[in-house]
Each structure stands twice: as structure tokens, then as C-alpha cells.
Amino acid sequence: MIVCSCNVLSDNAVRACLHRGPDCPRTPAQVHACLGCSPKCGRCARTIRSIMENALQGALEEAGHACSATCASSCSLVKVQPAEEGIAA
Ligand code: FES
């Protein structure tokens, strides 16, 4: 399914660029950069963020990990950044 009509990005392409580690995109704008494009209208940001959160939840469950407030500050699997940055209006 196409989730970004400006750049013709599919949900599978978004999921494919999400991976564990410090290079994992943390914002929808970083997902666009990972896929070699940049956000334009920004309408897809909420959908991409939802895909990112679902993928993160799946990774946490796969790892048998549940972040607590005490470990969240140092965990590489901590939630994606709350505010969207770099989306052109
Ligand atoms: S729909 Fe993704 S930037 Fe416009």
C-alpha cells in the first residue's frame, strides 16, 4: 500500500528501512531520507509514525523487552521521537 503519495513510498518500503541500532530512523523525515527522498506535503507523517511505532513494538516483543521509565533513557529501542521535524508545510 502506498503511504506517501508524494514520493510513492509503500508501507513495505518504510518497514524495510527500519532496523535495530543507532542508524535506525527515528522520525518520518529520517525514514524519507533513508529511502532517498524528502518529505514534501507531510500528510504521510502520521501513517509513517504509526508504522514505526508498530515495528518498534514488534521488535520489543521479539526481544522480550518492555521499557520502563528507568531504562528508557539509555535504551536503543526507546520510542520514536515525539515531534516531527523537517516536514515542509
Ligand atoms: S504524502 Fe508523503 S510527503 Fe506528501
Side-chain angles (χ1 to χ4, degrees):
M1 174 179 73
I2 299 298
V3 296
C4 175
S5 56
C6 293
N7 293 295
V8 194
L9 301 179
S10 70
D11 56 335
N12 287 333
V14 170
R15 281 189 205 94
C17 81
L18 302 175
H19 48 80
R20 293 183 189 182
D23 297 335
C24 184
R26 300 293 187 207
T27 67
Q30 290 175 348
V31 168
H32 281 90
C34 179
L35 295 171
C37 58
S38 59
K40 294 183 174 47
C41 74
R43 285 181 302 189
C44 57
R46 183 172 295 179
T47 302
I48 291 175
R49 182 173 303 282
S50 175
I51 292 168
M52 295 170 73
E53 289 174 351
N54 287 339
L56 172 65
Q57 187 60 41
L60 290 173
E61 289 172 4
E62 182 180 303
H65 182 80
C67 286
S68 67
T70 55
C71 76
S73 62
S74 62
C75 182
S76 65
L77 295 176
V78 75
K79 293 186 186 307
V80 294
Q81 294 178 356
E84 177 56 30
E85 298 173 5
I87 293 286

